[in-house]
Amino acid sequence: MILPKILILNQPFVNNTGGGITMSNLFADWDKDKLAVTCSGYLLTKEIDPEICNNYYQLGTEERKWRFPFNLFGRKYESGPIKFSDASKDKVVDESSKSKSRISFITKYLNPFLNTTGLVHFNSKMVLSSKFKKWLDDYNPDVIYAQCSSRERILFCIEVQKYLKKPFVFHMMDDWPSLIGVDGFMKNFWQRKIDREFKKLLDVTDIHLGICDYMGEAYLQRYGKQFRTFHNPIDLEFWQQGQKQSYELDNSPTILYAGRIGLGIDEALKSIADAVDQINADLKINMKFLIQAQSAPLWIKSYNCVEYKPFVPYEQLPFQFGAVDFLILPYDFSPASLAYIKYSMPTKASEYMASGAPIIIYAPKDTALVQYANQYQWASIVTNPDTSKLTDALRELIQNQTLREQLALKAKALAKNRHDKTVVTKNFQRIITEAANQDMQMVRLKNSGDKHRN
């Protein structure tokens, strides 16, 4: 199969975000010289993996125009191509070098003001500069692939597709349209406006991709578009390196959460800690709740059972996940969070499946994650924000080795059958290649018609 040249909008190849990891795995076997990325300068961090793609265009001051007075606060980035190799990452703005007082002011005061007034959707706009157009013309992609989660990026995607007139593939990572523009006194205006603009983007999209089947079902009703599911595919051989083999437990079992901490997840993590404390008291064991995150939560000192673990290099994750006795996927139960996560699928869900460790899901019932787990029975599920229910689920798993093995076996089989990248990426390549070929066929037909008329 001859793979087409792809232009990727708004998402770099990184391994520290869900969109970046999913995209990295989907394009992992693509020809390196047939991939190019363009995105805002603040997204180009030192986490970029140049092994997959090293052809970037940084959208800077010539493309991202800040309206007065917001131009006084917006960081300035140089516009132009960047080839990422060993030393080229020096061109990336180091987050640690940014003014802490400036960041603090923006976080505490400016961003809340922009959200409340709705100016967050108006304070800047993207334009196609002459330099950027030349870069697009020189690269001359066959297909455009995009992710986005803001009004500014919606409009940017539309403008790029309008300029290039190439097949457009749009990939939804989560249901951000449900929350965008909901703050402040102008929320109704912005919701209606952004909804119209987003529908315009979907109208110029040739291939609609979603992160899960539940999202596809909802979006067919909401937007009248057929979304095909492409969740994070995994390198099965990579994850099988540390795959769990034994399901016997000693007196000090471990349960691991790996991910972000802070607002929106802390209450769920505290409930898990409370449940572990209760299990230790009831069963006279010394179970440990391990939290792997960027930093330790402030409340960790209140629990003897909780231990903080810093992030480890990505290549060590299969061994870390396979070494613990349980893995847990918690969600926040607040209504606002549910609106955002309802149609999302955690990137690490498929990685957890392949690890061989029994999985516990602690999340609202009406979420894609719970529906998927219920359908294929690959995890123990708790859908009530009740510590006693979580305690009961943990107790059952600890006391029932057969159940632990059954859940792990089903999860591993699902990872192999539905998430192995050797299967998923081939399907992904086929769909995009067909779109490119159809476009080429239309060009040939048009040229043939022009010659006939002449």
Side-chain angles (χ1 to χ4, degrees), residues 247-261:
Y247 295 92
E248 294 182 359
L249 297 180
D250 58 24
N251 199 51
S252 301
T254 52
I255 179 171
L256 172 68
Y257 166 74
R260 68 175 183 85
I261 58 171

Side-chain angles (χ1 to χ4, degrees), residues 59-104:
L59 298 169
T61 55
E62 295 184 41
E63 294 83 29
R64 196 177 193 202
K65 304 296 184 180
W66 292 88
R67 293 182 171 89
F68 180 83
F70 307 109
N71 59 323
L72 302 176
F73 304 99
R75 180 168 289 276
K76 294 178 173 58
Y77 294 89
E78 181 181 353
S79 297
I82 298 179
K83 294 285 187 180
F84 284 101
S85 56
D86 295 335
S88 65
K89 288 190 180 183
D90 292 340
K91 295 183 179 181
V92 173
V93 175
D94 187 352
E95 295 293 320
S96 63
S97 69
K98 295 181 180 180
S99 168
K100 292 183 179 180
S101 60
R102 172 183 169 276
I103 293 175
S104 178

Side-chain angles (χ1 to χ4, degrees), residues 122-137:
F122 183 74
N123 59 355
S124 65
K125 66 175 182 177
M126 304 292 289
V127 299
L128 308 191
S129 68
S130 57
K131 181 188 289 187
F132 181 50
K133 288 180 179 178
K134 183 180 184 306
W135 183 82
L136 291 175
D137 293 339

Side-chain angles (χ1 to χ4, degrees), residues 25 233-240 314 354 419-422:
N25 288 327
I234 55 173
D235 183 340
L236 204 56
E237 290 186 3
F238 172 78
W239 286 98
Q240 285 176 336
Y314 190 75
H419 299 283
D420 184 2
K421 77 171 188 177
T422 59

Side-chain angles (χ1 to χ4, degrees), residues 415-431:
K416 180 179 180 180
N417 296 331
R418 295 203 72 192
H419 299 283
D420 184 2
K421 77 171 188 177
T422 59
V423 176
V424 177
T425 56
K426 279 184 171 54
N427 190 27
F428 181 74
Q429 291 172 1
R430 178 184 57 78
I431 288 173

Side-chain angles (χ1 to χ4, degrees), residues 98-167:
K98 295 181 180 180
S99 168
K100 292 183 179 180
S101 60
R102 172 183 169 276
I103 293 175
S104 178
F105 171 77
I106 290 174
T107 302
K108 291 182 179 179
Y109 303 107
L110 184 58
N111 286 344
F113 170 75
L114 294 176
N115 288 327
T116 301
T117 60
L119 290 173
V120 67
H121 309 299
F122 183 74
N123 59 355
S124 65
K125 66 175 182 177
M126 304 292 289
V127 299
L128 308 191
S129 68
S130 57
K131 181 188 289 187
F132 181 50
K133 288 180 179 178
K134 183 180 184 306
W135 183 82
L136 291 175
D137 293 339
D138 290 343
Y139 180 62
N140 190 26
D142 301 311
V143 176
I144 306 167
Y145 169 96
Q147 298 178 18
C148 73
S149 57
S150 68
R151 177 177 183 250
E152 181 181 67
R153 295 180 194 174
I154 291 172
L155 299 178
F156 176 66
C157 287
I158 294 172
E159 287 303 307
V160 173
Q161 198 280 335
K162 181 180 178 181
Y163 178 76
L164 290 175
K165 296 180 175 62
K166 296 296 178 69

Side-chain angles (χ1 to χ4, degrees), residues 23 139 169 200 204 213 289 341 396 404 408 439 446:
M23 193 177 78
Y139 180 62
V169 180
K200 182 178 179 181
V204 301
D213 295 340
F289 177 28
I341 65 177
E396 182 181 21
R404 297 196 297 273
D439 184 64
K446 180 180 182 301

Side-chain angles (χ1 to χ4, degrees), residues 192-426:
R192 289 193 297 267
K193 185 174 182 61
I194 294 172
D195 184 61
R196 288 194 302 269
E197 293 166 341
F198 182 60
K199 288 177 179 177
K200 182 178 179 181
L201 173 60
L202 295 183
D203 286 340
V204 301
T205 295
D206 298 282
I207 298 177
H208 305 80
L209 305 180
I211 203 66
C212 63
D213 295 340
Y214 195 27
M215 173 184 282
E217 295 168 5
Y219 280 20
L220 180 60
Q221 297 297 319
R222 189 190 300 179
Y223 302 114
K225 306 293 184 183
Q226 191 75 47
F227 279 73
R228 310 183 199 191
T229 298
F230 277 94
H231 179 47
N232 177 40
I234 55 173
D235 183 340
L236 204 56
E237 290 186 3
F238 172 78
W239 286 98
Q240 285 176 336
Q241 294 177 97
Q243 196 172 68
K244 192 171 191 64
Q245 302 298 328
S246 173
Y247 295 92
E248 294 182 359
L249 297 180
D250 58 24
N251 199 51
S252 301
T254 52
I255 179 171
L256 172 68
Y257 166 74
R260 68 175 183 85
I261 58 171
L263 188 65
I265 193 64
D266 267 7
E267 291 306 312
L269 297 179
K270 289 178 185 178
S271 295
I272 297 168
D274 287 333
V276 172
D277 267 351
Q278 187 62 50
I279 282 291
N280 286 338
D282 292 348
L283 302 182
K284 310 302 180 186
I285 60 175
N286 186 33
M287 188 176 195
K288 291 295 182 183
F289 177 28
L290 311 178
I291 296 179
Q292 179 183 287
Q294 187 70 40
S295 59
L298 297 177
W299 49 265
I300 194 172
K301 296 178 182 178
S302 302
Y303 296 90
N304 293 326
C305 66
V306 183
E307 289 186 7
Y308 167 70
K309 298 288 184 181
F311 283 135
V312 300
Y314 190 75
E315 59 269 17
Q316 294 181 19
L317 287 179
F319 303 96
Q320 188 174 66
F321 288 177
V324 297
D325 295 299
F326 305 100
L327 292 166
I328 191 160
L329 280 169
Y331 272 170
D332 179 33
F333 283 81
S334 71
S337 292
L338 178 58
Y340 188 78
I341 65 177
K342 183 174 181 177
Y343 302 118
S344 299
M345 184 66 67
T347 302
K348 57 179 170 277
S350 50
E351 300 171 347
Y352 274 20
M353 293 177 198
S355 73
I359 301 166
I360 304 164
I361 292 174
Y362 183 48
K365 183 177 181 180
D366 192 19
T367 57
L369 177 63
V370 169
Q371 294 219 358
Y372 193 39
N374 267 324
Q375 182 179 0
Y376 292 97
Q377 298 295 302
W378 53 270
S380 175
I381 306 167
V382 179
T383 60
N384 193 316
D386 183 341
T387 302
S388 63
K389 300 293 184 182
L390 191 55
T391 304
D392 291 342
L394 280 173
R395 182 184 293 108
E396 182 181 21
L397 285 171
I398 291 171
Q399 295 178 333
N400 191 336
Q401 180 173 336
T402 300
L403 176 60
R404 297 196 297 273
E405 292 177 343
Q406 287 175 344
L407 291 176
L409 183 63
K410 290 178 180 178
K412 288 189 290 185
L414 192 62
K416 180 179 180 180
N417 296 331
R418 295 203 72 192
H419 299 283
D420 184 2
K421 77 171 188 177
T422 59
V423 176
V424 177
T425 56
K426 279 184 171 54

